[in-house]
Amino acid sequence: MKRLQNRIAENGLVLPVMSAYGIAIWLAAGLVNYALWPQLVCFVLSVYMIAEMNNAYSLLRVRSRMVSGVFIALTCTMSFMFSGLPGALTQLFAIVSLLLLLSTYQDKKSLGRIFYAFLLFGLCSILCVDILLFVPLLWLLMLTQLQSLSWRGFFASLIGLATPYWFFSLWFVWQRDFTPLADHFRSLATFMPLSEAYATVTICELLTFVLTAALTLTGIVHFWNHSIDEKIRTRLFYGLFTWMSAMSLLLTALQPQLFDPMMRIAVVCASPLVAHFLTLTSTRITNIAFFAIVAVTVAVTIATLILNPITLPFSLLTPIS
């Protein structure tokens, strides 16, 4: 029996309504006052790419735009990050990279797509070097979930990761100073003590982390309890989303100073999991949970707008620390 949550989730107006909601949150966060147009463009492109991912790989077995809707809703809870252009670019590049990687499913000859996927991850790592922590996991997921990793693909990924650094190295050669590059990679092995890291955590970061983690866990438990209803390819794709979500949330918990880049990736990978729960459940309890989740998400969004308004950094292009 279809309940109200199912009729809403399968309604074609979900994406237009959520898009209008997202724009309203951006306006409330200071889109015009702070001239956040480049960040908004990245957000719009990210929503479009998430929609393309859902369409191309049928992440939900019914016609629904809930994956994009959940992505918009979770992103808007973190309005205090809207001013970060490096974070917005990191999220966009990560989505396109995942879109390319999913297209390599069971295709070990897709060297070009593997190269470009890791080229984008290399660009992400220039903005935030800690993104490189995902690379070993991606290789493992390509081997087990996507079944697309070969020795040639492995070397294509290495070349893709290295390509952005080759171009940047030309500048360091010209300057005869590789200190900035060495410092960039040295920060990868630098871990802040938890006592210091948590001293800077804001109430808004805590609220959004707890909300995203709780929804992600709900989505993971629901999907794997009902995975028998899905195609093998869908189960493998959701396995990738599960591990990527878990790692990004774990890294956020262990190193809160990485909140911006890690939570952006967590939102990308959690969106299909949460959308699957909201769209494909139809019990009385889940119907109530659907509206409770909507209410809590809106409440958290309003709270972050009020408690932690945007403050622009000295430079919008400053790499994420």
Side-chain angles (χ1 to χ4, degrees):
M1 180 180 71
K2 284 191 176 183
R3 297 183 181 271
L4 182 56
Q5 74 171 97
N6 306 113
R7 292 196 290 271
I8 293 174
E10 297 176 30
N11 195 303
L13 292 175
V14 167
L15 186 55
V17 169
M18 290 305 300
S19 297
Y21 168 81
I23 295 299
I25 299 301
W26 274 83
L27 287 169
L31 172 64
V32 177
N33 293 340
Y34 294 116
L36 304 178
W37 303 107
Q39 294 89 324
L40 178 63
V41 170
C42 290
F43 172 72
V44 171
L45 290 175
S46 295
V47 173
Y48 173 75
M49 289 299 173
I50 289 286
E52 282 298 305
M53 185 185 297
N54 183 38
N55 293 338
Y57 304 113
S58 303
L59 299 179
L60 301 175
R61 61 179 182 270
V62 297
R63 186 175 179 82
S64 173
R65 302 293 185 183
M66 279 300 288
V67 177
S68 303
V70 170
F71 174 78
I72 292 171
L74 289 180
T75 300
C76 287
T77 63
M78 305 174 196
S79 58
F80 50 88
M81 300 194 309
F82 284 177
S83 62
L85 183 55
L89 289 170
T90 297
Q91 188 174 58
L92 176 60
F93 291 160
I95 294 171
V96 179
S97 179
L98 288 175
L99 192 59
L100 288 170
L101 286 178
L102 293 180
S103 72
T104 68
Y105 175 67
Q106 291 187 339
D107 184 3
K108 295 186 177 181
K109 296 182 180 179
S110 54
L111 303 182
R113 280 168 285 167
I114 292 174
F115 168 81
Y116 287 116
F118 280 87
L119 171 65
L120 289 168
F121 256 90
L123 290 172
C124 288
S125 70
I126 288 176
L127 297 170
C128 174
V129 70
D130 297 276
I131 293 295
L132 292 176
L133 295 172
F134 286 98
V135 172
L137 177 61
L138 284 174
W139 285 330
L140 181 61
L141 293 174
M142 289 174 64
L143 184 65
T144 58
Q145 305 300 122
L146 302 180
Q147 301 168 20
S148 60
L149 186 64
S150 63
W151 282 109
R152 294 174 66 192
F154 175 73
F155 286 113
S157 68
L158 286 178
I159 295 172
L161 284 172
T163 298
Y165 290 97
W166 287 344
F167 285 101
F168 275 93
S169 294
L170 296 176
W171 170 255
F172 298 125
V173 170
W174 176 261
Q175 295 292 316
R176 297 183 180 181
D177 181 12
F178 285 87
T179 302
L181 188 61
D183 291 340
H184 180 72
F185 286 109
R186 190 178 296 116
S187 63
L188 185 62
T190 303
F191 293 92
M192 185 180 294
L194 289 181
S195 58
E196 295 180 20
Y198 276 96
T200 60
V201 173
T202 66
I203 185 65
C204 291
E205 289 175 341
L206 183 60
L207 282 173
T208 51
F209 176 82
V210 171
L211 175 64
T212 305
L215 291 179
T216 303
L217 181 60
T218 301
I220 289 173
V221 172
H222 159 74
F223 180 84
W224 293 109
N225 280 340
H226 299 84
S227 60
I228 191 66
D229 299 327
E230 303 292 344
K231 297 178 181 179
I232 293 176
R233 186 184 76 162
T234 303
R235 292 202 295 267
L236 292 172
F237 285 177
Y238 273 80
L240 182 147
F241 295 137
T242 297
W243 285 108
M244 289 288 288
S245 298
M247 183 167 181
S248 54
L249 290 171
L250 179 62
L251 287 172
T252 304
L254 294 177
Q255 293 291 283
Q257 75 274 12
L258 300 177
F259 183 93
D260 189 308
M262 297 306 163
M263 287 304 294
R264 288 180 188 271
I265 293 178
V267 166
V268 171
C269 297
S271 295
L273 293 162
V274 179
H276 193 281
F277 169 75
L278 296 176
T279 305
L280 299 175
T281 54
S282 58
T283 67
R284 182 182 177 186
I285 294 177
T286 58
N287 192 57
I288 296 172
F290 176 90
F291 292 101
I293 289 170
V294 171
V296 171
T297 302
V298 172
V300 170
T301 302
I302 294 173
T304 56
L305 280 171
I306 296 173
L307 296 175
N308 199 355
I310 287 177
T311 54
L312 289 178
F314 291 109
S315 172
L316 293 179
L317 291 173
T318 302
I320 304 169
S321 59

